[in-house]
Amino acid sequence: MIVAGATIVVLVSCGGGRDRAAQRPEAGASDSISPQPPNPNPQSRVIIVLGTSLTAGLGLDPDQAYPAVIQRKLDSLKLPWRAVNAGVSGETSAGALRRLDWLLRDSPAILVVETGANDMLRGVNLDSTRANLAAIVRRAREADSGLPIVLAGLEAAPNLGPRYAAQFRALYRDLAAREHLPLIPFLLEGVGGVDSLNQGDGIHPTAAGDRIVADNVWRVLEPILRRADARTHERTEQPGAGAAGPRGKMGAP
């Protein structure tokens, strides 16, 4: 996608049928149909990772995409969370916003948002991208006022010029500051522009690259998980305290 230090135009909008994404069913499809795998632990809470082909893991096996790597981290630590890969190749911020209500039906306990790169590639006005990102946050909070939302920061292709790059970067930093969102400064930190960590298109990470991406996400995500789990424990330890609710959410960190 966005490659720091490289002079390429990123083709995140490419990609076909290899997505392992939680996509909205076509019009007329039964609401009972879900593309997500069954939850092996019904007590686990859901982390939805809303994103583009970087999240979907274009060109990789399903278990190599970074949400699957995060799931293995969760499992190894015996944390009761389930990471759902809701990435779709080629999706703009407007498309992510349109899918959001459907994804929120799963009552996530955490939402990770990675979108906007395809807006940049298609020349979408930055004000439109900014408005869509803000609308995603607003709508998610309307569904659950205490939902923690993690924002993945992105970088523009350097061949678009330093002014545009600064404005694009600011979209994420400004929104995170205004809405008090945990921010992943740059999703592809340590991967973008490194040939050995990207596939032949020079855009999408290899399996090794996605393990680094997972680490970038995990550094921001883990403290939120730990705080949420600690609050759950505190409430269950209080004499006479009831359950934390059907989803066990403790509110924003």
Side-chain angles (χ1 to χ4, degrees):
M1 179 195 306
I2 331 300
V3 181
T7 55
I8 66 170
V9 174
V10 208
L11 302 177
V12 180
S13 56
C14 70
R18 293 203 56 176
D19 298 336
R20 270 72 53 184
Q23 302 183 35
R24 182 176 181 176
E26 296 297 328
S30 168
D31 286 341
S32 65
I33 297 174
S34 173
Q36 299 170 10
N39 185 358
N41 180 2
Q43 300 303 314
S44 64
R45 286 171 285 178
V46 173
I47 305 164
I48 286 183
V49 189
L50 173 63
T52 65
S53 59
L54 290 177
T55 294
L58 184 69
L60 301 177
D61 290 334
D63 64 353
Q64 294 176 323
Y66 77 81
V69 179
I70 289 172
Q71 184 64 61
R72 288 196 289 277
K73 291 177 182 290
L74 295 167
D75 294 342
S76 69
L77 294 170
K78 302 187 184 305
L79 296 176
W81 294 84
R82 180 171 62 104
V84 173
N85 186 336
V88 172
S89 290
E91 186 168 75
T92 63
S93 62
L97 178 58
R98 284 192 296 270
R99 275 198 304 138
L100 183 63
D101 286 343
W102 183 77
L103 292 170
L104 292 174
R105 298 187 312 174
D106 266 0
S107 300
I110 295 175
L111 176 66
V112 180
V113 179
E114 174 268 303
T115 191
N118 289 308
D119 297 44
M120 177 263 296
L121 295 174
R122 298 179 185 190
V124 174
N125 185 281
L126 290 177
D127 288 340
S128 178
T129 304
R130 184 180 297 108
N132 288 331
L133 286 168
I136 287 171
V137 174
R138 182 176 64 252
R139 190 169 296 178
R141 285 178 170 166
E142 286 171 353
D144 181 347
S145 61
L147 177 65
I149 303 169
V150 178
L151 185 63
L154 301 169
E155 298 283 344
N159 59 316
L160 295 176
R163 183 167 179 247
Y164 183 92
Q167 292 174 338
F168 189 76
R169 181 184 305 115
L171 285 174
Y172 301 94
R173 299 176 188 272
D174 292 350
L175 180 64
R178 185 172 68 251
E179 299 293 342
H180 306 288
L181 305 176
L183 176 69
I184 302 163
F186 179 32
L187 183 73
L188 297 179
E189 185 67 39
V191 177
V194 181
D195 290 344
S196 62
L197 295 175
N198 286 276
Q199 299 177 46
D201 59 9
I203 298 162
H204 297 92
T206 62
D210 250 14
R211 289 194 292 272
I212 296 174
V213 173
D215 288 340
N216 294 339
V217 176
W218 184 252
R219 278 193 292 272
V220 177
L221 184 62
E222 183 186 20
I224 300 171
L225 301 174
R226 297 293 191 182
R227 286 194 292 270
D229 285 343
R231 290 171 184 171
T232 299
H233 180 72
E234 288 170 4
R235 287 194 57 172
T236 56
E237 289 294 311
Q238 291 174 3
R247 289 171 287 176
K249 282 187 271 191
M250 295 292 100

